[in-house]
Structure formats: structure tokens, C-alpha cells
Amino acid sequence: MRWPERVTVREVGPRDGLQAEERVLSTDAKVRLIDALTEAGFRRIEVTSFVHPGAIPQLADAEAVMARIRRRPGVVYSALVPNLRGAERALACGVDEVTLFVSASETHNRHNVRRTIAESLAGFVPVAERVAAAGVRLTGYVVTAFGCPYEGDVPEERVERIVAAYRDLGAVAVYLGDTTGMANPAQVYRLCTRLRGRFPDLELGLHFHNTRGAALANVVAGLQAGVTVYDGAVGGLGGCPYAPGATGNVATEDLVHMLEEMGIATGVDLDRLLAAARLAQELIGRELPGFVLKAGKRSDLVRAVRAREAAGPQGG
Amino acid sequence: MRWPERVTVREVGPRDGLQAEERVLSTDAKVRLIDALTEAGFRRIEVTSFVHPGAIPQLADAEAVMARIRRRPGVVYSALVPNLRGAERALACGVDEVTLFVSASETHNRHNVRRTIAESLAGFVPVAERVAAAGVRLTGYVVTAFGCPYEGDVPEERVERIVAAYRDLGAVAVYLGDTTGMANPAQVYRLCTRLRGRFPDLELGLHFHNTRGAALANVVAGLQAGVTVYDGAVGGLGGCPYAPGATGNVATEDLVHMLEEMGIATGVDLDRLLAAARLAQELIGRELPGFVLKAGKRSDLVRAVRAREAAGPQGG
């Protein structure tokens, strides 16, 4: 196995995590969290979503959040948009990246945005033009890329066709979303190898949910296929709308911990990220599923045990 | 990436899981759980540990458990033993496999069994002779093989020396234990490739704890290194003595789910295993950390969502 020297970790908790949480955070709380993530050293943060405020009440204050976060130069602050109206709002806030989304499953796309895949892609054309005119990065998600809760398996050809459509729209990166945690490492390696061969100049990113515990295993397969962009949600914020109580996005700090332990640089300060994860847990008011949040870093374990030793016998 | 067609999954929950649980199960409960695991189709089950009954009260009824489980022909029922006395007890119960254990860390071994590594290995000689005379399989764990909570990194040479010692004792398999969840995939691949090259005829098994969420990622690395034996604990029973509240062994059903989704045969009936995991959860009386236990199988998700669809609109 060969490993890349460095990878880009995108923090998507403020968007994909918070939109799936029952508790709606105040604008203040979101800004505190996003600023803490900036401080942790991320170069890419998905801040919010410019959908209709009624659709996702958790993110209804998108403008206020964008206006109040402390933006560090060089960091790409992105937002999800469903249509031209959303893109106009996002651009008016000065986002650095506009991210479109469409499902690789017709049924899921219909449930999600009440459109066929073709209608979604056609609707992206004016958005892409508007984003290009503004000189802003355009990117796109293929959601349910590894399986759909309605349709089951999703043909690789369909994912490939959507990626091609994004490229034709001028997208600089495409993120494959494992929206309900259905991916497995063999599938990830196969699909990513295929797409990297077909679209060598397009940045490919992977967005895994840890619903069935395999997110980091899927990252290992992605790394072998040459993918160097991975998403996570701080603390493991979020959940799975199809499986109540189940885990959503992989916890970013678990991802960063594994990569750094492997000698793969992420540029993220893990201690600051863990502080942000503790903040996320406090703000959201429930125990978050991140592992390192509970167990501590590998190196901290050694330090803690040594300190206990140094203190002498503990009477059992 | 190339994947094996089949792997052997060893169920170690009745030993490594239960010994780390606060609640002590009755003999009846243990027998029910182990019988359910036999029904699920495992070919290898680590049943108990023949240590001094005072040392691990959770497993003090080792003889009674061994005597009462329903043993299916062809299944290897193994037990952990620390010394000749333990081996005598295990052999008297008719175990199919005796498993020794020693740490790759001097400090951990001293804390665990109050011996140096050399003293442990020397003590194994009469045990190995006794086990060979009985015609029973001899195997051994190298615990803290990927890092020690006291010493931090563990030199690969030391792991290799212990594996060589086991081979010289006549062991047919050696299991590398990531006792406190310190392994990462790059390390797993490196160490396993080295050991497989040095000991091509010895069966190598991997025993991962999911303390920092990377257990299945480490399995992927092990598969790439050609390792085809993996341990799990049903439901994710157990914990980590060095990090209260943290996860212990990887949940066997999460492991089996991932492997089967990848097209790798395990011979385990996942539905029966999930039933055993629910039983384990009920017996132990706390929510177990297994993911598939909460989220359901990938295929069940699709089925459940379809059934909901077929029932018509749900009013939101």
C-alpha cells in the first residue's frame, strides 16, 4: 500500500452536521463553532446551505452566519445551494465556493428536491453561469453515490454521467456522498479508480457517513485509489434521517487522528479540533459519537497513563 | 486493491468482551450467548479464560461454561490460559484450542502478569508440551502489538521475536492484539507484511479494538497484507480499561457486515449474529456500541424504506 504525503480534510459539520440535528443552534453558537474550526487550521469549511429557510430551519440564518464568521485569508468558505435563488444569496454573502447537489438515485432526488436528475442538472446551467461570472469556485455533490435507501445499488455509470455533467458545467471538484452509510471499501476503490481514470483533471472528494462503522475503512480505500480530499463533521455532528439514532458523518477528529497517525499531513491542529468538538458537543447538548472525543488521542493515552504511574501506587 | 475470497472471523466477545464489562453474567446467560454465536455459524469462538478466579471474577465460572455450551462439531472452542495450571484446567474441559498471551511491552506485561516478557515465554514451555501431548491446538496473543499505553510505540522487532518464540513453541497461529486501539492502517500493513514474509507458514490473526474508530480501517490494511483471520466481539461488548467509556473490541457484526458487503465470505449468518448482538445487549444491560445494531444492515435499510413507501404518504 502506498499513501499520499498529505490530504485535504473538509469540515462540513456546520452544514451537513447541524442540518440533521434536532436542536437548532443560535447564530452566535454557529459563529463560535465555525470560528473554532477556522482556528483549528481547516482550509475548507462548508459553512451553511442557502435553501429555502422553511426547508431546513436549522440553517435559516445562512446570511447572518456568513456575515459574522471571522474569515481567515486562504480558507475556502463554501455553501450548498439548490438553485439560482440560493446561488444569488450565497454570492451576495461573498462565499468562496458554491456547491450544487444532485442524487445518483432518481427516487432519492425526487424525494429530496422534487425533480428528476435531468431536471436538476438542467437547472444547474444558469447557476453555473452566474457563479462563473462572479469568479467563484463551483463544485458539486453526487449524493447517494454508493447506494440509495430507496433504490439500493446505484449504477456506477450513473455516477459517472453526473460527474461528467458537473465537469461540463465548469465544476472544479466533485464530492461523492455516502449519504446513508452504504459504501464499502471494495466499492469505493472500484468507483474512485474508474472516475479518476475518466476525469484525471477533476478534483474528487469523498464524503462518508459512519452509519455502519466503515467510514474510515472507506477512507483507506479512497486513499489507495488516489483520492486526497475527505469530508468530516466535527464531533460526528448529525445523524441519519433513515435510521433514527444512527451515526451520520464521520467525526472529523477521528479522520484527522487516523491520517496523522499514518504520517499523512492534514494541516489541521488536532488539539484545537478536539476543543472545537467539545464545544460542538456542549452547544448541541447531547453526547456526540466521535471516538477520539471519548478515548483521547493515542499519544495522550500514553501521557495520561505515565502521569498516573508517576503519582505512585493507587491502591488498586 | 485485491481482496481475499473468504476470511475467518473469530468471535471473542464471551472472553475479551465480558472480562471488561462491569456486570458479571450468570453462567446461564453466558451459555445462551455462546450457543447463539455457535448458531450464527462461527467456526472459532473464544469461550473463556482459565486465569485465577479472583483475577477476573467475570470469567470465574470457566469450567461450568465449557461444560454446558452446546458444541457443534467442526467449531474450535478456545480458551485463554496464563500458565500450566490454567492449561490443565482448560484441557480437562476439552477445549479445542489453548491460547497463551504475552505483551510486546515489558511494562504492560509486568502490569498484566507480573513477569518480564522472557519469563512469560519461558513459562510457556511446559504449557506447550502439555498442550501438544493432549493433541490440542496451541495459539498465542501478542498483546499491545501496535502500541502500549505505558511505553507508547512498540518496536516491530520485539513483536517479531515473540512471534518467533510462539512458532518455536509449536503454535499454529499468532493473534496480534491492538489492546488499547492504538493501531493505524499504515502500521498494520507494514507490520503484517513483515511478519507474513518472515513466517509464511504461521497463521496470523488480527485483533482490533475500535477505541479510536479505526478498527475496520485497520482490517482493510490487514486484508491488503494478506491476513485472513480477524477477531470481533459481538455487539462491541467490552471496553478499554485505560479510557473509561471508550469502545473496546470492534463489533463482530460490523466486521462481518463490511466483509460480506465487499463480497468476502465469512460463513457467518449476519441475521443470527445480529440476534446474538441484541441478546448480548439485553444480558449486559447497557447500549452496546455496534453500528449495524443501531442502523441495521444496508439491505434492511432499503427494505424498510420501501415498506414505508408502499404504505403510502405518511403525512410528512
Side-chain angles (χ1 to χ4, degrees), chain A residues 101-103 109 113 115-125:
Chain A
F101 60 98
V102 63
S103 178
N109 206 56
V113 294
R115 292 180 174 201
T116 65
I117 294 172
E119 286 165 354
S120 276
L121 295 175
F124 291 165
V125 174

Side-chain angles (χ1 to χ4, degrees), chain A residues 218-236:
Chain A
N218 289 328
V219 169
V220 169
L223 290 170
Q224 293 307 302
V227 177
T228 57
V229 179
Y230 296 91
D231 292 3
V234 58

Side-chain angles (χ1 to χ4, degrees), chain B residues 31-42 272-273 275-276 279:
Chain B
V31 169
R32 271 182 73 195
L33 180 59
I34 295 163
D35 285 351
L37 293 165
T38 295
E39 288 302 314
F42 289 99
R272 288 185 176 176
L273 173 52
L279 173 64

Side-chain angles (χ1 to χ4, degrees), chain B residues 30-77:
Chain B
K30 289 175 192 166
V31 169
R32 271 182 73 195
L33 180 59
I34 295 163
D35 285 351
L37 293 165
T38 295
E39 288 302 314
F42 289 99
R43 309 286 291 187
R44 311 256 198 109
I45 301 176
E46 199 173 75
V47 174
T48 189
S49 185
F50 288 91
V51 295
H52 190 281
I56 304 179
Q58 290 93 334
L59 304 180
D61 57 351
E63 272 87 354
V65 171
M66 275 304 302
R68 292 180 42 199
I69 54 172
R70 269 201 305 272
R71 291 170 69 165
R72 178 181 283 180
V75 177
V76 174
Y77 295 92

Side-chain angles (χ1 to χ4, degrees), chain A residues 11 14 22 28 33 86 92 126 134-135 145 161 177 182 193 197 208 223 240 243 266 270 279 282 293:
Chain A
E11 172 56 55
E22 209 170 307
D28 267 358
L33 180 60
R161 275 209 308 278
M182 294 172 77
T193 301
F208 292 122
L223 290 170
C240 180
T266 64
L270 187 51
L279 172 64
E282 183 195 314
L293 199 54

Side-chain angles (χ1 to χ4, degrees), chain A residues 261 298 302 306, chain B residues 146-148 151-155 158 182 187:
Chain A
E261 285 289 330
R298 179 192 203 267
V302 177
R306 278 190 190 148
Chain B
F146 298 95
C148 162
E151 296 187 6
D153 293 334
V154 163
R158 206 184 295 152
M182 294 173 77
Q187 177 191 23

